[in-house]
Amino acid sequence: MPPPVRRPRRRLSQPREQVLAAAMATIAAEGLDRLTMAGLGREVGMSSGHILYYFGTKDELLFQTLQWSEEQLGAERRAALARRVSVRERLDALVDLYLPEGHRDPRWTLWLEVWVRSQNADEETRERQLDLELAWHRDLVALLVEGASRGEFRAVDAERFATRTRALLDGFGTHLVVGLPGTERAQVGREVRQFLDEALIPPTD
């Protein structure tokens, strides 16, 4: 069982942000393999022991970095979904933000690593993982309901459809981030749009 996680004290919220931002920047620039406590400490002017003191384990550091990254992306998603455009355009924007940019996308690379490391995670960690997933799920469900109410989409079981759609996006996203030969982002985008058209757009008379 992993040691108990020491939570950062309130007065260290700014240093914590610096550590998380530096961790994400390292992953983006050099890849996850190059992220070490010693290297991260040098970036933010702290010892590796100091970082571990506040985060407890490297797994916890990685998870909090993923949470921080999702918070940044969440702000972008909320802005995109608040635009005064059609529901379909906002749905396309959500899909675009969800999918990785391509091979070795840092956010998705981190996401995969955190999920692999958490195979034997405790219930609290599972709940925190679920919170990350549900943020996307709730926004997707809301778009499906709104689209149906406006007549842009067919009426569907929004919860079920959102779960299936996220599974589709996760599958395509994993192929993209690992660089599966023959998988390109533009192609994935076309496949997803075609699926959404076929499933959601009412037939024209």
Side-chain angles (χ1 to χ4, degrees):
M1 179 178 294
V5 174
R6 297 185 177 95
R7 303 293 183 189
R9 298 175 183 174
R10 186 181 300 273
R11 66 183 179 83
L12 291 175
S13 59
Q14 187 59 34
R16 173 183 174 276
E17 292 283 323
Q18 293 173 358
V19 171
L20 299 178
M24 200 68 219
T26 298
I27 294 169
E30 303 178 35
L32 191 56
D33 292 343
R34 299 298 297 274
L35 179 66
T36 66
M37 292 299 183
L40 189 57
R42 286 192 294 272
E43 287 291 323
V44 296
M46 298 168 64
S47 69
S48 56
H50 198 181
I51 293 174
L52 282 173
Y53 176 79
Y54 290 109
F55 289 94
T57 65
K58 186 173 182 179
D59 283 0
E60 178 64 17
L61 169 64
L62 292 176
F63 193 93
Q64 290 197 32
T65 303
L66 180 61
Q67 287 180 308
W68 179 84
S69 172
E70 285 293 309
E71 288 169 6
Q72 315 307 306
L73 193 60
E76 290 185 50
R77 188 174 70 249
R78 287 188 294 274
L81 298 185
R83 293 172 56 212
R84 297 193 176 189
V85 295
S86 69
V87 182
R88 180 52 196 273
E89 287 177 275
R90 282 179 276 146
L91 178 58
D92 286 342
L94 182 145
V95 168
D96 189 57
L97 287 170
Y98 194 107
L99 290 171
E101 290 297 322
H103 185 208
R104 299 176 67 87
D105 177 282
R107 178 175 63 90
W108 268 75
T109 297
L110 180 57
W111 180 84
L112 288 174
E113 180 69 14
V114 167
W115 257 240
V116 168
R117 285 171 173 258
S118 68
Q119 292 180 76
N120 299 313
D122 58 23
E123 191 63 28
E124 180 187 355
T125 300
R126 292 290 186 216
E127 290 295 326
R128 294 163 70 199
Q129 289 176 315
L130 181 60
D131 286 343
L132 297 182
E133 297 290 326
L134 288 179
W136 291 93
H137 183 83
R138 285 189 293 265
D139 284 344
L140 180 51
V141 167
L143 285 174
L144 295 170
V145 171
E146 182 184 354
S149 71
R150 292 175 178 269
E152 289 188 41
F153 298 159
R154 289 192 179 102
V156 296
D157 182 330
E159 289 284 344
R160 188 179 183 195
F161 191 90
T163 297
R164 290 180 169 185
T165 301
R166 289 191 302 110
L168 176 72
L169 295 173
D170 286 344
F172 274 132
T174 301
H175 289 181
L176 279 171
V177 76
V178 301
L180 194 70
T183 306
E184 302 293 337
R185 196 176 196 276
Q187 169 221 349
V188 166
R190 288 193 297 272
E191 292 287 349
V192 173
R193 284 192 295 273
Q194 182 178 354
F195 162 74
L196 294 173
D197 282 342
E198 293 173 350
L200 294 175
I201 303 303
T204 56
D205 295 330

